[in-house]
Amino acid sequence: MACVSSSSFLLLKQPTFSPKSKPSSHFSTRRRVVVVRAEAMSTITIEKWDVKIERNPPEFKLTELGVRQWPKWGCPPSKFPWTYSDKETCYLLEGKVKVYPDGSNEGVEIGAGDLVVFPKGMSCTWDVSVGVDKHYKFG
């Protein structure tokens, strides 16, 4: 069986037999392609300055957290300071942001499809290069 990975899909191809070969009775002489949704394969988690970023979390995790029921917030491209008075978990539907913790010239990049947790007490600057639309939850 051959495996071909494409984006977040995994294609499994069973071997094809020629009419000259004699497959055992449990093999079909037809080619079958099985498509398996492999969401967990493309998930990457990054932690920098106590900011946790999960890139492309699986849909079951978003459902488990109730993300789609959280309030929404958005903003156009802009740059502004922000302090987290509580822990915030957010899921970016759209956008691209570089978040710079106070006192640092190096930022952490977040974007559409990221599940992000910002720690309570963090002060930073948001540099929004592509307008943001996100679900969020404090606490």
Side-chain angles (χ1 to χ4, degrees), residues 98-114:
K98 199 153 189 184
V99 179
Y100 295 91
D102 282 0
S104 176
N105 291 331
E106 191 179 337
V108 58
E109 290 185 33
I110 60 174
D114 288 347

Side-chain angles (χ1 to χ4, degrees), residues 19-55:
K20 293 179 183 176
S21 67
K22 295 189 178 192
S24 62
S25 61
H26 66 278
F27 281 107
S28 169
T29 56
R30 292 185 187 182
R31 183 179 209 166
R32 289 194 306 172
V33 176
V34 180
V35 178
V36 179
R37 182 84 169 127
E39 294 180 82
M41 284 179 42
S42 60
T43 299
I44 297 171
T45 302
I46 299 164
E47 187 167 347
K48 191 173 185 179
W49 292 294
D50 294 328
V51 176
K52 295 176 187 154
I53 306 162
E54 186 174 348
R55 306 230 189 261

Side-chain angles (χ1 to χ4, degrees), residues 26 45 91 97 118 120 134:
H26 66 278
T45 302
Y91 178 69
V97 181
F118 293 100
K120 179 181 180 176
K134 70 175 186 173

Side-chain angles (χ1 to χ4, degrees), residues 66-73 89-91 93 133-138:
V67 168
R68 309 272 185 226
Q69 283 71 50
W70 296 350
K72 284 176 82 175
W73 177 86
T89 303
C90 63
Y91 178 69
L93 301 166
D133 186 22
K134 70 175 186 173
H135 284 286
Y136 69 94
K137 180 180 116 176
F138 287 104

